[in-house]
Amino acid sequence: MKIFAYGIREDEEPSLKKWEQANPDVEVGFTNNMLTADSARMAEGADGVVTLQTADYTREALEVLHNLGIKYISIRNVGVDNFNFQDLNDFGFTLTNVPVYSPNAIAEHAVLLMGRLLRRTPEFAQKIEDGDFTWAPTIGKEYREQTVGVIGTGHIGRVTMQILKGFGCKIVAYDVYHNPEIEKQGLYVDTLEELYKQADIITLHVPLFDSNKHMINDKAIEQMKDGVYIINCARGELIDTDALIKGLDSGKVAGAGLDVIDNENSVFGKKWSSIDNIPNEKIRNLAKRLNVIVTPHSAFYTETAIHNMITTSFDSNKSLIEGLRPDNIVDTNK
Ligand code: NAD
Ligand code: COI
């Protein structure tokens, strides 16, 4: 049996080596290239493919894999929004993801972004850089005074809530599905409007679908409290960047913590000579503000997460090749 993996980074190699040692019956090939129509040919002779990328998977790349006789694709991450399910179904692929590699990694990052905004750490860092070691006017706010609106109470949203409770925050939550534990605690509001009305901080933890693209738009921001903070560690396309910039300009939005941004693939994952040279005016605009913290889709990036992403994705791909049905098969008929 052979598995071929795409986009393997140096930091993943030790976990991959361990997996190979534990699975001597599997031949593993890999490249650091992403899966494209060109690189797809590298999987010739493989029974399954393991991959991870934030760019869209193209129909052309999937067609090449299909023509090589490959039926199984296992991604090393959670989100499946960069696949066109119709393409997967047309070519008869079975897809697995890693739904729970470490919700804590992302939840901790979201809470950290909130804390950095509340205590105005980018402004203090700039002051120190300028030789200004004074306090005012950089006064902070405390977590325990905040009502945090958590949109999406799945794996990541629930860990975020757990951590926030430890800080003494009041929490309101919104989800199309009500988790019984959260329901018991009486934290759900019925509508997003209600959450917007109550929350001092809003944090997004929902998957991206066609139906919720730009859910945070002018109208949503208008319904929020003056001076709201917005945190996005889910998917960039959930926020209309123009609306966010407008909200920041007017002061309606006091700050934002953004691990993901619409069209991030034009900038993220590459090294630029300076922030002034990035080829995306909106990301440049956001990243240069002292009340906005941008991180390059790195919320997931912890040692624990990387190890689990490798292990579960390879285990799943092996199971599929063996004819088993692991419980992390993605329903591509939704
Ligand atoms: P999950 O499936 O466990 O939870 C998602 C929750 O969102 C579910 O409870 C679901 O009912 C709810 N939901 C779906 N559509 C909704 C809608 N329109 N309105 C309200 N709620 C809705 O997923 P998760 O593991 O918590 O991950 C959430 C998202 O975080 C992923 O889909 C992915 O896009 C993103 N993510 C980002 C990173 C990162 O590094 N920044 C890492 C992992 C995941
Ligand atoms: C996910 O797991 O969905 C992420 O956003 C992580 C990223 C490496 C794709």
Side-chain angles (χ1 to χ4, degrees):
M1 169 190 315
K2 182 171 177 182
I3 296 176
F4 192 82
Y6 288 91
I8 293 287
R9 305 178 310 274
E10 253 175 53
D11 55 72
E12 292 178 303
E13 286 186 30
S15 297
L16 178 51
K17 222 166 244 143
K18 266 192 205 149
W19 191 87
E20 283 185 85
Q21 279 160 4
N23 294 272
D25 50 330
V26 182
E27 185 190 343
V28 175
F30 66 88
T31 173
N32 61 4
N33 292 333
M34 297 301 153
L35 176 56
T36 63
D38 283 338
S39 68
R41 289 178 185 83
M42 298 171 83
E44 186 161 7
D47 303 288
V49 153
V50 169
T51 177
L52 168 65
Q53 63 189 43
T54 52
D56 285 347
Y57 291 97
T58 65
R59 184 174 175 90
E60 291 71 29
L62 297 178
E63 188 170 14
V64 175
L65 292 181
H66 169 74
N67 290 337
L68 293 174
I70 292 167
K71 293 196 197 77
Y72 308 117
I73 301 178
S74 298
I75 58 169
R76 306 199 282 286
N77 62 301
V78 178
V80 291
D81 47 277
N82 51 350
F83 278 100
N84 178 322
F85 284 0
Q86 190 59 54
D87 291 343
L88 288 169
N89 294 340
D90 287 349
F91 296 123
F93 285 109
T94 305
L95 177 71
T96 58
N97 68 345
V98 186
V100 200
Y101 53 75
S102 180
N104 296 61
I106 300 94
E108 287 174 13
H109 195 82
V111 176
L112 185 67
L113 289 174
M114 292 174 206
R116 288 179 65 197
L117 290 169
L118 291 172
R119 300 309 295 263
R120 303 173 67 171
T121 61
E123 289 163 86
F124 267 117
Q126 184 62 59
K127 282 172 68 169
I128 300 291
E129 180 82 18
D130 296 340
D132 178 354
F133 285 69
T134 65
W135 295 333
T138 332
I139 196 162
K141 290 182 183 348
E142 297 181 23
Y143 277 106
R144 64 184 170 142
E145 306 297 341
Q146 310 304 310
T147 297
V148 182
V150 178
I151 304 181
T153 58
H155 294 100
I156 297 170
R158 290 205 304 281
V159 177
T160 303
M161 292 164 84
Q162 221 174 53
I163 299 172
L164 289 170
K165 261 190 241 154
F167 278 113
C169 295
K170 181 177 176 225
I171 295 166
V172 289
Y174 176 83
D175 197 305
V176 288
Y177 162 79
H178 281 198
N179 176 281
E181 273 310 304
I182 309 298
E183 182 91 297
K184 243 192 267 167
Q185 296 167 44
L187 298 180
Y188 284 117
V189 290
D190 292 334
T191 62
L192 281 170
E193 288 74 9
E194 190 52 40
L195 181 141
Y196 295 153
K197 205 158 79 185
Q198 292 192 38
D200 302 300
I201 302 173
I202 291 168
T203 186
L204 299 173
H205 299 290
V206 288
L208 173 71
F209 304 109
D210 289 342
S211 56
N212 62 5
K213 185 178 171 172
H214 290 183
M215 62 178 281
I216 305 297
N217 52 22
D218 286 322
K219 184 168 170 228
I221 290 175
E222 209 174 287
Q223 293 168 346
M224 295 175 191
K225 275 188 166 179
D226 291 343
V228 67
Y229 291 95
I230 300 175
I231 308 295
N232 190 3
C233 288
R235 281 295 179 266
E237 292 88 339
L238 294 170
I239 298 183
D240 173 355
T241 308
D242 289 328
L244 177 62
I245 289 175
K246 227 189 283 170
L248 287 160
D249 282 344
S250 72
K252 172 81 183 180
V253 179
L258 307 171
D259 186 53
V260 288
I261 308 182
D262 206 354
N263 290 316
E264 68 190 37
N265 286 319
S266 61
V267 174
F268 288 8
K270 303 176 191 91
K271 207 165 171 180
W272 306 93
S273 55
S274 99
I275 184 72
D276 294 316
N277 291 332
I278 65 169
N280 183 311
E281 191 262 326
K282 292 177 193 174
I283 297 182
R284 193 164 55 242
N285 175 320
L286 290 166
K288 290 186 95 164
R289 294 174 189 253
L290 289 179
N291 59 345
V292 175
I293 301 171
V294 172
T295 53
H297 203 146
S298 55
F300 80 103
Y301 194 51
T302 68
E303 293 170 357
T304 305
I306 297 307
H307 180 74
N308 294 339
M309 289 161 103
I310 286 282
T311 307
T312 306
S313 60
F314 276 82
D315 281 348
S316 307
N317 206 252
K318 182 180 177 186
S319 295
L320 290 173
I321 296 166
E322 287 172 338
L324 302 172
R325 304 272 307 162
D327 52 17
N328 52 335
I329 290 178
V330 176
D331 180 359
T332 55
N333 293 310
K334 266 189 189 161

